[in-house]
Amino acid sequence: MSSAVHSLKSRTEDHLHAVLSHRSEIRSIDPLHAANDDELLAQIGYKQELNRHYSTLQVFGIAYSIMGLLPSIVSTAYTGLEAGPVGFVWGWFVSGLFILCTGTSMTLLGSSMPTSGGLYYYTNYYAPDAIRVPLSFMIACANSLGLIGGICSICYGFAVEILSCVYINSDGTFEITNAKCYGIFAACVISNVIICCLTTKHTATLQTVSIVVNTFLCVLYIIAVPVGVSKNFSFNDASYIFGSLENTRSWPSGWSFMLSWMPLIWTIGSFDSVIHCSEEAKNAQRAIPFGILGSITVCWILGWVIVIVTVACIKDGDTAAILDSATGSPMAQVIYDALGKQWAVAFMALIAIGQYLMACSIMIAASRQIWAFARDEGLPFVYNFVKYVDPKIKVPIRATMFAGCIALLLGLLVLINGSAGSGALFSLAVASNALAWGMPVLLVILPYGRKRFIPGPFYLGKVGSFLVNFTTVLWITFEIIYLMFPDQRFVDRNSMNYTCVINVSIWGLSLVYYFIWGYKTYSGPKPNIEEFDTIDAEVETQNVDELLSNEKGY
């Protein structure tokens, strides 16, 4: 018996040693002395396969569009108002400070090594050799899941906004069901996939359009809704806007206030999308800081104004009535009360357009992350199929289709669990992305990673960068735990927060898969620059041979 146990232990140790020693070489990267984007990408290990059409403004537009300020606030206002005006207003402001800190940490990393793989590449680069490959594999899975969860939550928000329009327009005679919601959700996802398979030049132009549309929506809301309120009823006073804590949750008031931070945490998320699109950006090392920090700052400040305006315009200061609105959207009710039926329908339709553009932008980011993971032969089972890039338009069409298919499957949670399922879609995106954001930042502040880190053009110095990164790690640790909590203290199958089940299962299963099978193909980011150079040399040799042959023929 002891001999069998010893034999099993020996085989297990040999297997683990074989798995953990199967790793690609870490490359030497000097981000401060690269002549251009292509040369830096070659240092990182990759051939330029995608077209660089994104200007600095359009890079900003990627993150700004995904945040889609007004549509996002409409989608999450209910959660913010469950702790009353205080939860919504001050929750937005306080959590914004920590999100800005997290974005700064992402900027430090992205400015140093701009590549579509982003966070899992950094994890592999800064982690000790013994654990870097399985750890980067888990982060790649988490980041991919988080971005696809973002697609789901944004498309779900779009469906709710469309249904709210129809409900208001029908004077409450239209029945909103989960099946109808999923139908609109699916149509949004499928059409997004089609649009995002266009050339990079077209999708870059789409970001400019999205900047204009989302800014117009915010300005229109800030002006039109208060004008409507002034004609119909009185604004709420400052004591209500900034001091009324109305806890409608079964949690204690302090924790309920923290749970109402979700609107900003979800809205100003997926800023790592800028990094995932960096291989399509011009002057990526400088565009990334502008894209991440610019979008976070603008949305934090402008969003706080929108939240204050919304609370000021709640009719008669009756928060409970807004939360119980039959439209399914508190902000739709605010607009309806202020401007009437026709304006409410028009406004919600415009907001839905902004939400749709958000979905297009995050579909682009998710497809680039998935494509990068497949390029490194990490995406389970289908990496060879998914990593293909169309040589004519240079767009990862198959990765885009893959992201859409997974989103359609995850969206079935809406049918299975109703409001609990839809809530899981929102927090799912944030929890997995938070893990992906936090891991490389943690590694950079630890001794091994700190020695390897070479800053790019954006740098705060050793002390400043360390303090920002340390704060980010503390915040993300809290955030991941926070996101696992249900909205109410006492739960059943319909009110359970399934984020913990989905996320932890994916994180755990990704490691199990890696140690059983994934290590056979994934050894960390795999440089393909040599592969392409070999192919180019073969093609060049073939062309020379053909030329000599033709000359002999003459």
Side-chain angles (χ1 to χ4, degrees):
M1 180 69 177
S2 61
S3 176
V5 172
H6 179 76
S7 177
L8 177 62
K9 181 180 178 182
S10 178
R11 288 199 300 271
T12 302
E13 289 175 349
D14 290 343
H15 176 74
L16 288 175
H17 176 73
V19 170
L20 294 177
S21 61
H22 182 64
R23 50 182 180 256
S24 57
E25 183 182 353
I26 292 291
R27 298 179 67 86
S28 177
I29 301 171
D30 185 359
L32 292 177
H33 296 92
N36 52 44
D37 291 316
D38 291 356
E39 183 179 313
L40 179 55
L41 188 61
Q43 285 187 34
I44 293 170
Y46 300 119
K47 183 76 172 182
Q48 183 67 51
E49 295 183 73
L50 308 179
N51 285 323
R52 289 189 182 270
H53 280 304
Y54 286 97
S55 67
T56 299
L57 180 64
Q58 289 166 337
V59 169
F60 164 84
I62 294 167
Y64 183 70
S65 176
I66 291 175
M67 293 173 190
L69 200 51
L70 187 60
S72 292
I73 296 174
V74 169
S75 298
T76 56
Y78 186 96
T79 304
L81 286 168
E82 283 186 285
V86 164
F88 202 17
V89 173
W90 290 114
W92 183 279
F93 183 81
V94 173
S95 55
L97 292 169
F98 295 106
I99 295 295
L100 183 61
C101 188
T102 305
T104 303
S105 294
M106 290 297 98
T107 299
L108 290 167
L109 294 171
S111 177
S112 175
M113 292 188 291
T115 176
S116 295
L119 305 175
Y120 77 86
Y121 189 100
Y122 306 148
T123 299
N124 181 80
Y125 194 82
Y126 296 119
D129 283 344
I131 60 171
R132 63 181 172 88
V133 180
L135 198 58
S136 68
F137 184 84
M138 183 184 71
I139 293 304
C141 292
N143 199 195
S144 300
L145 176 68
L147 288 167
I148 293 174
I151 295 171
C152 291
S153 55
I154 291 172
C155 290
Y156 174 78
F158 170 79
V160 170
E161 287 155 8
I162 292 294
L163 291 172
S164 295
C165 283
V166 177
Y167 181 89
I168 294 171
N169 195 53
S170 68
D171 295 320
T173 59
F174 178 78
E175 182 183 2
I176 298 175
T177 65
N178 290 336
K180 292 174 183 176
C181 188
Y182 183 79
I184 298 173
F185 165 89
C188 181
V189 171
I190 293 169
S191 58
N192 279 171
V193 169
I194 295 171
I195 290 173
C196 293
C197 287
L198 299 174
T199 64
T200 305
K201 186 175 182 179
H202 288 94
T203 54
T205 302
L206 187 66
Q207 305 313 313
T208 304
V209 173
S210 186
I211 292 173
V212 174
V213 170
N214 278 292
T215 303
F216 170 76
L217 284 174
C218 294
V219 173
L220 183 63
Y221 182 87
I222 291 170
I223 295 173
V225 172
V227 168
V229 169
S230 66
K231 294 179 179 179
N232 295 296
F233 51 91
S234 300
F235 293 103
N236 296 310
D237 57 27
S239 62
Y240 173 80
I241 298 170
F242 298 104
S244 179
L245 177 63
E246 304 172 18
N247 184 16
T248 62
R249 297 184 178 96
S250 51
W251 292 106
S253 296
W255 185 243
S256 180
F257 168 71
M258 290 186 177
L259 289 176
S260 287
W261 294 5
M262 188 63 183
L264 180 130
I265 291 172
W266 184 81
T267 298
I268 308 184
S270 295
F271 37 78
D272 59 310
S273 57
V274 171
I275 298 174
H276 298 309
C277 295
S278 61
E279 292 183 32
E280 296 163 275
K282 302 172 185 176
N283 196 7
Q285 287 183 288
R286 300 187 184 280
I288 285 173
F290 183 82
I292 294 178
L293 298 181
S295 59
I296 291 175
T297 303
V298 170
C299 288
W300 178 32
I301 296 172
L302 185 56
W304 199 43
V305 174
I306 291 172
V307 167
I308 292 171
V309 168
T310 300
V311 173
C313 295
I314 293 177
K315 189 176 182 179
D316 301 327
D318 192 347
T319 311
I322 293 295
L323 291 174
D324 293 335
S325 171
T327 65
S329 170
M331 284 186 68
Q333 188 63 49
V334 168
I335 298 169
Y336 180 85
D337 291 338
L339 301 172
K341 173 183 171 180
Q342 292 182 341
W343 262 100
V345 172
F347 235 119
M348 292 305 295
L350 289 172
I351 289 170
I353 292 172
Q355 187 93 358
Y356 186 85
L357 293 172
M358 289 171 60
C360 288
S361 294
I362 198 168
M363 181 71 76
I364 293 169
S367 66
R368 273 46 174 184
Q369 155 64 22
I370 291 167
W371 166 72
F373 191 29
R375 176 178 61 181
D376 290 326
E377 299 184 356
L379 190 68
F381 306 116
V382 293
Y383 61 86
N384 270 327
F385 176 80
V386 173
K387 71 179 181 180
Y388 173 80
V389 175
D390 187 284
K392 292 183 179 179
I393 61 175
K394 295 188 177 182
V395 171
I397 292 176
R398 294 178 183 178
T400 306
M401 295 169 62
F402 180 85
C405 290
I406 301 300
L408 289 172
L409 291 174
L410 280 176
L412 291 172
L413 282 169
V414 175
L415 291 175
I416 297 171
N417 292 300
S419 59
S422 62
L425 294 179
F426 279 83
S427 50
L428 167 67
V430 185
S432 277
N433 278 332
L435 179 68
W437 300 334
M439 186 59 69
V441 178
L442 172 63
L443 293 170
V444 164
I445 66 175
L446 295 177
Y448 185 89
R450 191 163 63 247
K451 290 178 183 178
R452 294 194 59 84
F453 179 73
I454 299 176
F458 181 87
Y459 189 48
L460 302 177
K462 287 186 178 180
V463 176
S465 298
F466 178 83
L467 291 175
V468 166
N469 288 336
F470 185 74
T471 305
T472 294
V473 170
L474 292 179
W475 163 251
I476 286 179
T477 302
F478 165 78
E479 184 181 14
I480 291 174
I481 298 170
Y482 157 91
L483 290 166
M484 301 300 174
F485 275 77
D487 196 54
Q488 300 292 336
R489 187 174 182 178
F490 306 103
V491 300
D492 54 25
R493 64 185 183 88
N494 291 319
S495 58
M496 171 65 180
N497 184 348
Y498 291 93
T499 305
C500 56
V501 178
I502 297 171
N503 280 278
V504 176
S505 296
I506 293 294
W507 302 342
L509 289 173
S510 64
L511 288 175
V512 171
Y513 169 81
Y514 173 78
F515 280 99
I516 294 176
W517 186 264
Y519 74 93
K520 296 180 181 181
T521 58
Y522 181 74
S523 58
K526 288 186 177 180
N528 67 1
I529 190 72
E530 292 87 355
E531 172 190 336
F532 275 90
D533 287 343
T534 301
I535 293 172
D536 290 342
E538 290 175 353
V539 171
E540 185 177 345
T541 302
Q542 182 180 356
N543 290 338
V544 170
D545 291 341
E546 289 177 358
L547 180 61
L548 292 174
S549 176
N550 290 336
E551 288 178 352
K552 288 178 181 179
Y554 286 118

